[in-house]
Amino acid sequence: MDVVTLSRLQFGATAMYHFIFVPLTLGLGILVAIMETLHYRTKNEIYLKMTKFWGRLFLINFVLGIVTGITLEFQFGTNWAQYSIYVGDIFGAPLAIEATLAFFLESTFLGVWLFGWKRISPKMHLISIWLVAFSSNLSALWILIANAWMQDPVGFVLKNNRAEMTNFAAVVFSPYAWLKFTHTITAGFVVGAFFVMGISAYHLLKKQNVEFFKKSFYIAATFGMISSLLVFFIGDMHAAEVAHVQPAKLAAMESFWNTEKAAPIYLLLVPDDAKKSNLVEAFPIPSLLSLLAYHDPNATVRGLNSFPQNDIPPVTPVFLSFRIMVGLGTLFIFLTILAWWFAKKDKLLNHRGFLRIMLYSLPLPYIATQVGWIVAEVGRQPWIVYGLLKTNDAVSKNLTIGDVILTLGIFIILYTALAVLDFTLLTYYARKGPLETD
Amino acid sequence: MLNILWFIIWGLLWAMYFALDGFDLGIGMLFPFFGKTDQDKKTMLESIGPVWDANEVWLITAGGATFAAFPTTYAYMFSFLYLPLMLILYGLIIRAVCLEFRYKVNKPSLVSLLENGLFLGSLLPALLLGVAFGNIFQGLPIDQTGYHGNLITLLNPFGLITGILFVVAFLLHGSLWLSFRTEGDINLRAKALARKLWFITLFFAVLFLVSAYFVTNLYANYFSMPFLLIVPTLCVLGLLGAGFFINSSEIMAFLSSAICIIFLTFTGVGGLYPNLIPSNINNAFSLSAFNSSSSQYTLTVMTVVVIIFVPIVLAYKFWTYKTFSYKIKEGEVEGY
């Protein structure tokens, strides 16, 4: 293993680990804010209890989200110094703006919300949680603007041996960024919804605090249904954008090797990276790939073999991740519609099998968001900035293999300990049920 | 012009981080020793609970702003100082988790693990940030082939003096904050501790300022532009004020200590100018506000962002500090 591979492992592992916590923050923050709004409007105690119960789980998760995020802010410099020098003129700005606009707001008002129950007016308290929910999503916007620039660099010139920004608006309003942003936050909403539905299902199966968890479930199911539909349709638009700006990534997502007009999608497909073709291709749906990628059944789709062979990503992981993501995304739509319907008709307790499915589905959106990032980032390889800079040329020059092995090792030990602690606390407080409010 | 402005902002962000998270780190280091009863410990955490996270954001902003305004410095500062920076980050991770989860666990073994973690996770960043800046003030061994130091070479006398100064200054800062937020017995004990810490901080501050004259070039700028001597003077006045006000005014003592930390940072940063990371081999390889900066376009964009949004941030942060400046009554711990 060399420094590049180890640094990729470290960045990939720490970023994916960070993204276990982020989507729940995005979705659950809004759900807690909705609950507190319901309490503010109706003065019904049950919504206050809900705010506190789900708020506590939100907080435990949030702590892990911040601590795992700090390392990412610095890893561009520590391990990817050549990258930072090359793109810092553009890439640094959204990161600094994210901290200034979003992180301060988020952390300040989380503190206010948590410690302010008796110190500020109920209205200000409600505003605080909405500011937390809003700013965590705002931070997603800025970091995804930065990430989108790595996928689809815009608004720059190459000058002084680096990329220099010439058009800030082009960077901020890049369509790629906004598709990625909306796709990511709605995915986070789905995570939040399944989290609340899963834990509610657990208690409903045990017939504990039935009213409390039926109401929680209904709010989450409604939110989850809308979000599942949105994430799916935005995902479709996002894939079309990928086809447009990163044709090699799209071809890898579909394991599509040879350029074709009216390209089909094979329901069953086994890629073979080494032979640069597919081992198995069965059950084609004619023209579907052309239709989805270019919204035209006769469009020509470029195959992987039409690109220089050093410029294509590893196909199997990207292809598999994409299939899993799309499959799960489709499943979420069915599950949330059913969940919403049963909750609306107050029939949840009659469908214990369904409740069990919802309980065990809790991890599925997590898997979907993780594989989604594999599609996005592994699919971008071998480029760190698509078409501009290769990952191999981006790493810090002074690092030794020993340095990175040491830090990666500590990360693995530390993050494993954190995962155990987090999981223990979340299950403890989730099982315990709602608190007595004072 | 913008390069100079961003150099000042760069220094200011670090200064704000040290002055604000400094007292959180101080209380974290005091936690296992100062907190005698469970009530004491809860009060200590309650005193920083609403603000510590937002204080830590200054560090992230300092990192982000370095990236945006001085990308080459960002790249080399953190890749050259790879291991110390990683240790700082591990410390901050451990600190945050231990602080937030201390009162969410009951198992005694876990409790003591988290309490020790809070101590170590506060000590490590305080010490190593000091060591790192102590070395930056001296200059790093950088030439055309890169960086020629390692973790051991950083632990030189001046690096260690700066590291210890950071630790004791943050301890003092933390005990002053604690006295400001508390009443009764814990308040008196915090003040008594602050008096002792003040002498220790004074000793290391003098040691730092004197040895800086011998091992760094920090004073060159001050001798060529004597009006700048106001910066180290304010640092000293802040420290004297902190000692002077310990008994008479808790808030003034705390603010004086904050001023001391801010101008201590600026004493160093002002001495570095125009460099952010000087080379002690050959100044041609120093990273300066001019040779490591972003384009004028990017600096302009970032300046507009700062002008619009920083006042808003400062306004609501000020409001938060006002909201949470009340005295924590014994037995009335709310957040944890």
Side-chain angles (χ1 to χ4, degrees), chain A residues 273-339:
Chain A
D273 281 65
K275 292 216 178 95
K276 305 204 174 301
S277 61
N278 293 325
L279 218 57
V280 179
E281 281 179 351
F283 313 115
I285 303 177
S287 297
L288 185 62
L289 181 53
S290 294
L291 187 67
L292 286 178
Y294 296 101
H295 299 146
D296 166 12
N298 291 314
T300 303
V301 178
R302 273 184 81 178
L304 287 158
N305 290 331
S306 72
F307 296 90
Q309 284 313 292
N310 291 328
D311 289 356
I312 63 168
V315 177
T316 306
V318 176
F319 164 79
L320 276 180
S321 300
F322 183 65
R323 286 269 158 130
I324 294 169
M325 176 179 77
V326 173
L328 287 173
T330 315
L331 178 68
F332 299 152
I333 294 178
F334 290 113
L335 286 178
T336 49
I337 290 176
L338 273 178

Side-chain angles (χ1 to χ4, degrees), chain B residues 259-320:
Chain B
I259 285 171
C260 166
I261 293 174
I262 288 173
F263 284 95
L264 174 70
T265 315
F266 266 107
T267 302
V269 170
L272 287 176
Y273 183 85
N275 293 325
L276 295 99
I277 310 287
S279 161
N280 61 14
I281 296 175
N282 180 341
N283 197 36
F285 303 108
S286 296
L287 299 164
S288 79
F290 301 95
N291 73 11
S292 81
S293 82
S294 283
S295 62
Q296 293 303 304
Y297 180 83
T298 298
L299 292 181
T300 310
V301 168
M302 292 308 299
T303 306
V304 172
V305 169
V306 163
I307 290 172
I308 298 174
F309 290 101
V310 168
I312 299 175
V313 171
L314 291 176
Y316 65 66
K317 286 201 58 145
F318 182 75
W319 174 79
T320 319

